[in-house]
Amino acid sequence: MTEKLHAPVIAWFDAHARDLPWRRPEAGPWGVMVSEFMLQQTPVSRVQPVYEQWLARWPRPADLAEEAPGEAVRAWGRLGYPRRALRLHGAAVAITERHDGDVPTDHAQLLALPGIGEYTAAAVASFAYGQRHAVLDTNVRRVFARAVTGVQYPPNATTAAERRLARELLPEDERTAARWAAASMELGALVCTAKNETCQRCPIAGECAWRLAGKPEHEGPPRRGQTYAGTDRQVRGKLLAVLREAHTPVPQTALDRVWHEPVQRARALDGLVSDGLVEPLAGGLYRLPLG
């Protein structure tokens, strides 16, 4: 089964992979790392312009490390989940201090950087350095769930069984394994999508256990889409938008105008302060963090 998957998926990727800036040689390991932080729970179309502006401003980790963390939050724009900006800034500082400004090649050293978990460490090691690692994002997990285990959707959280399967599916050759990681991810993003999958375009449709079983319906807990309107996340975004636009401290009254419900607004602002995304000052003023 394993051998029957690798060649057709990689051949499909060679023919159909999107030309994305972080896949180009000039992106380098830092460009790959930046893209991995930005792409978490955020579509490519929203990431690409912010990514390009980010790399133009901070082409090396040391360039970002020299800036206040609030500048990373400001440049993050409307990508969402802005704590990622702080974590990326923290990783840049650590790379500058521990690794002479070069993104480390060693998986364990990548994993030791602040803000980097197992997925991001594996992705950078694989995509930037061509190493052999199982890279399990939502798209890859869905491809493996359908093609190998015959179920429509993977569990909500990555399981030990999924990690074991991903390791079993890894090609032995390091370069091929890195290509497989990128190819299986692209297949999930473009063809084996969560909804309206296009099996007629899939290079492994003839091997897919889920398709061969007649595409049985999902039997697990109901899959709920994330809501945004009216949530604390939306309020946090509105508050941060005011602070990103301002280059001097902002009074409480300016923040009060962005959301009508005072209790939720206060809770959202308190959360931003607790997360280190907003810095309170004397006199009821607020700004993006300086240190």
Side-chain angles (χ1 to χ4, degrees):
M1 174 67 172
T2 300
E3 298 295 331
K4 292 180 180 179
L5 298 180
H6 294 156
V9 171
I10 292 172
W12 172 87
F13 183 64
D14 290 342
H16 299 284
R18 291 169 290 181
D19 178 21
L20 300 174
W22 45 87
R23 289 179 175 162
R24 298 169 191 160
E26 60 268 26
W30 173 238
V32 171
M33 178 176 284
V34 170
S35 75
E36 288 301 331
F37 272 79
M38 291 185 172
L39 287 164
Q40 293 166 26
Q41 298 177 284
T42 308
V44 165
S45 59
R46 287 179 58 200
V47 166
Q48 191 161 339
V50 180
Y51 169 89
E52 291 172 345
Q53 293 164 10
W54 190 284
L55 267 294
R57 181 174 178 181
W58 299 309
R60 300 171 302 142
D63 299 320
L64 176 59
E66 289 177 356
E67 297 267 15
E71 287 306 301
V73 176
R74 193 189 312 279
W76 198 256
R78 302 305 295 267
L79 283 182
Y81 304 100
R83 276 177 289 182
R84 293 179 294 168
L86 290 183
R87 290 170 183 152
L88 183 51
H89 182 273
V93 171
I95 289 167
T96 304
E97 294 175 348
R98 302 177 196 170
H99 303 288
D100 297 323
D102 295 321
V103 176
T105 61
D106 182 73
H107 179 268
Q109 291 180 329
L110 286 165
L111 199 54
L113 295 173
I116 291 192
E118 175 56 40
Y119 165 78
T120 304
V124 173
S126 179
F127 301 151
Y129 294 118
Q131 296 176 15
R132 183 178 182 270
H133 293 281
V135 184
L136 272 176
D137 81 336
T138 301
N139 290 315
V140 176
R141 293 174 63 221
R142 187 170 56 254
V143 169
F144 292 175
R146 291 175 178 173
V148 182
T149 63
V151 298
Q152 185 176 13
Y153 298 118
N156 289 330
T158 307
T159 65
E162 285 182 283
R163 293 190 179 94
R164 185 165 56 250
L165 173 62
R167 290 193 296 269
E168 291 171 357
L169 290 174
L170 268 179
E172 288 299 323
D173 175 70
E174 194 167 53
R175 180 174 295 183
T176 306
R179 197 70 176 162
W180 163 252
S184 54
M185 187 175 294
E186 190 81 333
L187 186 66
L190 299 184
V191 175
C192 193
T193 50
K195 297 179 180 179
N196 303 316
E197 66 281 347
T198 51
C199 298
Q200 66 273 21
R201 295 172 51 212
C202 180
I204 54 171
E207 307 294 332
C208 177
W210 182 58
R211 192 188 71 84
L212 293 173
K215 295 187 177 181
E217 290 295 321
H218 176 61
E219 293 183 351
R223 292 169 54 82
R224 296 185 177 90
Q226 290 185 328
T227 58
Y228 182 71
T231 63
D232 284 6
R233 255 192 78 212
Q234 184 184 24
V235 184
R236 284 163 61 101
K238 287 180 175 292
L239 294 169
L240 271 183
V242 174
L243 293 161
R244 279 198 309 272
E245 294 298 320
H247 291 272
T248 57
V250 171
Q252 177 79 55
T253 52
L255 298 177
D256 288 345
R257 287 195 289 268
V258 306
W259 195 253
H260 60 282
E261 210 289 302
V263 174
Q264 187 180 26
R265 187 178 64 233
R267 183 172 66 239
L269 182 57
D270 287 346
L272 290 170
V273 172
S274 297
D275 290 342
L277 289 161
V278 172
E279 191 174 309
L281 304 173
L285 298 174
Y286 295 87
R287 69 182 177 194
L288 297 176
L290 292 183

